[in-house]
Amino acid sequence: MSDPLLWATIYFGVQILLGLPIGFVLISTVVVWAFFAGADMSLMAERVIFASVENIIVIAIPLFIFTAKVMDHGGISERLLRFCLALVGHRPGGLAQVNIVSSVIFSGMSGDATSDASGIGQVLIKMMREQDRYPPAYAAAVTVASSCIGPIIPPSIPMLVYAFFSGASVGALFLAGIVPGLLMGVAMMVLVARQARRRGFPTEKRMARAAMLSATLAALGPLMMPVILLGGIYSGAFTPTEAAAVAGLYAILLSVFLYRRSSWSGLYAALSESARQSGMVFLLIGGGFALNYVFTVEKVTEAITTAILSFEITQMQLLFLVHGAFVVMGMFLTKAPMMYVVIPALLPGLAAAGVDMVHFGVIITLNMMVSMITPPMGLMVFIVGGLARIPIGQIFRESIPFMLTLYAVMILITAFPELVLWLPGTFE
């Protein structure tokens, strides 16, 4: 290891241990490397960081974030929640089932786990806790587990980031996430039904037919958004980035003009919130791309590729080896270092080994999502526990069956790639 890379690695490790924001850590690590390597930092900033955030794929990220914020301010979540109640509220563990189905539907619009858990998830936790119908920790556990579906079913912000680093087709990644996302939802719903019978969880009163029809019609507008997005992309009407702009416009039309639930001040608030969140994402992408440049110059990616190709194992064994490494990392790291540091370094070696980039993108995104509910560093558990004021340890205990269920789905879609690749192959 050369001296510049050694100092940069030491600096990076210390900053991560101190818990500093990962975006600033990535950028400053590159600055430390450039200082010891004698590299032109202004040239790196111009060619690497700015080039990364001007990429056409990256532009879609703030647009999808904005769409989710507009929907949150526009009362669309309430319509979706009532529709989910009509759909599965009468099933065993009614509100827990609603929690999962709402995540499946909401994921087709937001693409972000945190938005799901901190938005509609908080509403459902409050509903589940009323009259002591569900233990508070169980309500939170269902919320954090179901929020993992958000970045799997399209649109998906992590998959947009992955497409930027890997060069994989955004459209193919979006389609590839549909079947795994639905499998996650079904698996957790089966788990909830079994837990409800064993633990005596209540069911909700079945809605009358007229009320069910009313709830469905009220939710029809939001439910059409995934159809418009995917239909537009695969009909060739617009690119994935243009689809993100269409989604934002459609959300405005619904929230401001059709439902009249959001004022212009609410729209400004959505713009302000999405700008702040997008700024954090851009900092991460720029820092990750810059660090990847350092890896290339220092031949780190070349060394990783050589090491991967030297393994006398099959592709499937290689994928499970990577899964195991990410599971361990997920216990101690947040999603960001894995997404913006580890994955870009691994991709050239995995591609050289013949791994399908679309398949890997879906399975590793699921792996990272489950790491967000895995102790001791499950970030989503800390977020939801803090918002709902529920002890973290209790949420972790209730999350274990959901975590194991999601890992089972991850193993399934890894062992049977056709579950991921069938839908993209159908639309090629």
Side-chain angles (χ1 to χ4, degrees):
M1 182 184 287
S2 62
D3 286 343
L5 187 59
L6 173 62
W7 285 113
T9 302
I10 293 172
Y11 174 84
F12 178 83
V14 170
Q15 301 307 302
I16 289 292
L17 290 174
L18 290 175
L20 296 181
I22 184 63
F24 293 103
V25 173
L26 293 176
I27 297 292
S28 58
T29 297
V30 174
V31 171
V32 169
W33 174 85
F35 175 80
F36 285 102
D40 187 338
M41 284 185 276
S42 62
L43 186 64
M44 288 180 61
E46 180 183 354
R47 292 188 177 181
V48 179
I49 299 176
F50 292 136
S52 67
V53 297
E54 289 176 355
N55 186 281
I56 190 66
I57 294 175
V58 177
I59 293 173
I61 294 175
L63 294 172
F64 279 124
I65 293 174
F66 172 70
T67 300
K69 298 298 182 184
V70 171
M71 289 170 52
D72 189 37
H73 283 274
I76 291 176
S77 299
E78 297 172 15
R79 292 171 177 264
L80 293 175
L81 181 56
R82 188 161 178 262
F83 170 73
C84 294
L85 273 167
L87 199 64
V88 296
H90 57 281
R91 303 284 183 181
L95 286 179
Q97 302 280 15
V98 170
N99 200 324
I100 296 168
V101 173
S102 65
S103 291
V104 171
I105 295 175
F106 197 74
S107 66
M109 303 162 205
S110 70
D112 178 60
T114 306
S115 297
D116 185 358
S118 59
I120 195 170
Q122 291 303 307
V123 176
L124 280 159
I125 289 175
K126 184 178 179 181
M127 291 174 63
M128 293 175 72
R129 294 178 67 176
E130 288 177 353
Q131 300 175 1
D132 295 324
R133 287 187 288 183
Y134 295 84
Y138 183 83
V142 176
T143 299
V144 296
S146 65
S147 68
C148 294
I149 302 173
I152 306 300
I153 293 179
S156 167
I157 292 173
M159 286 188 189
L160 284 170
V161 175
Y162 174 84
F164 169 71
F165 284 117
S166 67
S169 164
V170 174
L173 284 167
F174 278 7
L175 275 180
I178 294 176
V179 172
L182 294 176
L183 283 174
M184 292 166 67
V186 170
M188 284 191 287
M189 289 177 73
V190 171
L191 173 64
V192 164
R194 294 184 61 184
Q195 290 176 326
R197 293 188 182 97
R198 189 176 71 250
R199 299 173 65 172
F201 292 151
T203 59
E204 304 305 304
K205 184 179 179 181
R206 185 190 290 268
M207 283 189 184
R209 187 169 299 178
M212 291 182 67
L213 179 60
S214 173
T216 302
L217 291 175
L220 198 57
L223 291 173
M224 286 300 296
M225 184 179 288
V227 178
I228 293 171
L229 289 179
L230 293 178
I233 291 172
Y234 284 95
S235 67
F238 36 74
T239 66
T241 302
E242 291 167 343
V246 170
L249 178 60
Y250 187 68
I252 292 173
L253 291 174
L254 291 179
S255 301
V256 178
F257 295 102
L258 183 60
Y259 302 147
R260 299 182 182 275
R261 290 293 304 274
S262 180
S263 62
W264 292 109
S265 60
L267 193 60
Y268 175 79
L271 277 168
S272 178
E273 291 169 15
S274 58
R276 286 194 295 270
Q277 191 170 340
S278 299
M280 292 187 290
V281 173
F282 282 160
L283 191 65
L284 286 166
I285 291 175
F289 196 77
L291 194 61
N292 196 39
Y293 170 81
V294 172
F295 288 160
T296 302
V297 171
E298 294 286 354
K299 301 186 184 303
V300 173
T301 51
E302 183 179 322
I304 293 174
T305 300
T306 302
I308 289 174
L309 294 177
S310 69
F311 294 155
E312 295 183 359
I313 56 177
T314 65
Q315 279 187 23
M316 193 61 61
Q317 290 170 330
L318 176 60
L319 289 177
F320 279 110
L321 179 64
V322 173
H323 271 319
F326 271 74
V327 168
V328 174
M329 284 188 289
M331 293 179 182
F332 307 101
L333 297 175
T334 61
K335 179 186 67 177
M338 294 186 284
M339 172 65 78
Y340 297 96
V341 179
V342 181
I343 287 180
L346 284 177
L347 286 175
L350 295 173
V355 172
D356 187 284
M357 290 292 98
V358 173
H359 181 224
F360 181 73
V362 173
I363 64 175
I364 208 63
T365 300
L366 174 52
N367 188 309
M368 289 187 294
M369 291 307 105
V370 182
S371 75
M372 295 180 73
I373 66 172
T374 303
M377 287 291 293
L379 178 62
M380 194 61 64
V381 175
F382 283 90
I383 291 173
V384 171
L387 290 173
R389 298 182 179 180
I390 301 171
I392 303 302
Q394 293 179 19
I395 301 176
F396 273 129
R397 282 194 295 274
E398 292 281 13
S399 297
I400 290 174
F402 294 96
M403 181 185 69
L404 296 176
T405 299
L406 291 175
Y407 274 130
V409 173
M410 182 184 75
I411 292 170
L412 183 67
I413 64 172
T414 302
F416 299 96
E418 56 270 20
L419 291 171
V420 176
L421 301 176
W422 167 73
L423 207 50
T426 302
F427 283 85
E428 281 183 352

